[in-house]
Amino acid sequence: MYTLKTSASFDSAHFLKGYEGKCSNIHGHRWTVEIEVSSENLESEGQCRGMIVDFSTLKADLGTLVDNLDHSLIIEEGSLKSKTMEALEEEDFRIIQVGFRPTAENFAQYFYNEMLDKGYKVAKSTVYETPNNCATYSE
């Protein structure tokens, strides 16, 4: 089995609604996302001969995903009152609403599925919330 791994990072803020502790407050992270793709076989022809995929393509696709989240406030849909949302939008803050609680575990699954949708044979996705704490998703 051959495996490639690449990583990309982004900075964003989030909070966990309904959590009892520090993470209930808006706070920021330098998230690092690692994607591993694997295959039993390498490409046999063309420019990617001898590769699983071209590293530059893999890096660019992951980079596009993380760049979309960079320097934003990521919130779970419905977690802020409408008046709060209006005030933040009026100030032109970049807010990204996601359909899941923005935890490292859920982000690991999110990036796994997004890269899978791009056609990669994803083995696992790991998301570091801090340099020492991460979550991994694989099927």
Side-chain angles (χ1 to χ4, degrees), residues 5-79:
K5 178 168 63 173
T6 193
S7 65
S9 298
F10 66 99
D11 299 302
S12 73
H14 76 144
F15 69 94
L16 302 179
K17 183 177 177 84
Y19 181 81
E20 293 183 23
K22 290 181 182 180
C23 293
S24 65
N25 291 307
I26 295 174
H27 62 284
H29 293 287
R30 174 131 184 112
W31 303 87
T32 298
V33 181
E34 293 179 347
I35 293 293
E36 293 186 31
V37 297
S38 61
S39 177
E40 292 185 13
N41 302 303
L42 301 177
E43 292 292 326
S44 59
E45 297 179 6
Q47 179 173 313
C48 292
R49 185 169 52 88
M51 303 175 187
I52 297 174
V53 297
D54 189 326
F55 256 126
S56 63
T57 305
L58 179 65
K59 286 171 55 174
D61 285 341
L62 179 59
T64 299
L65 290 174
V66 299
D67 286 349
N68 183 53
L69 299 173
D70 195 39
H71 284 78
S72 66
L73 170 58
I74 302 171
I75 64 168
E76 182 177 7
E77 291 173 349
S79 62

Side-chain angles (χ1 to χ4, degrees), residues 66-96:
V66 299
D67 286 349
N68 183 53
L69 299 173
D70 195 39
H71 284 78
S72 66
L73 170 58
I74 302 171
I75 64 168
E76 182 177 7
E77 291 173 349
S79 62
L80 289 177
K81 296 176 182 173
S82 59
K83 285 184 178 183
T84 305
M85 284 295 295
E86 289 172 19
L88 291 170
E89 289 168 351
E90 189 175 302
E91 293 293 338
D92 291 324
F93 285 114
R94 191 159 176 270
I95 303 164
I96 297 176

Side-chain angles (χ1 to χ4, degrees), residues 100-115:
F100 54 85
R101 196 176 198 197
T103 62
E105 295 89 339
N106 283 330
F107 275 127
Q109 183 180 26
Y110 168 81
F111 285 108
Y112 181 100
N113 289 333
E114 289 293 314
M115 293 300 282

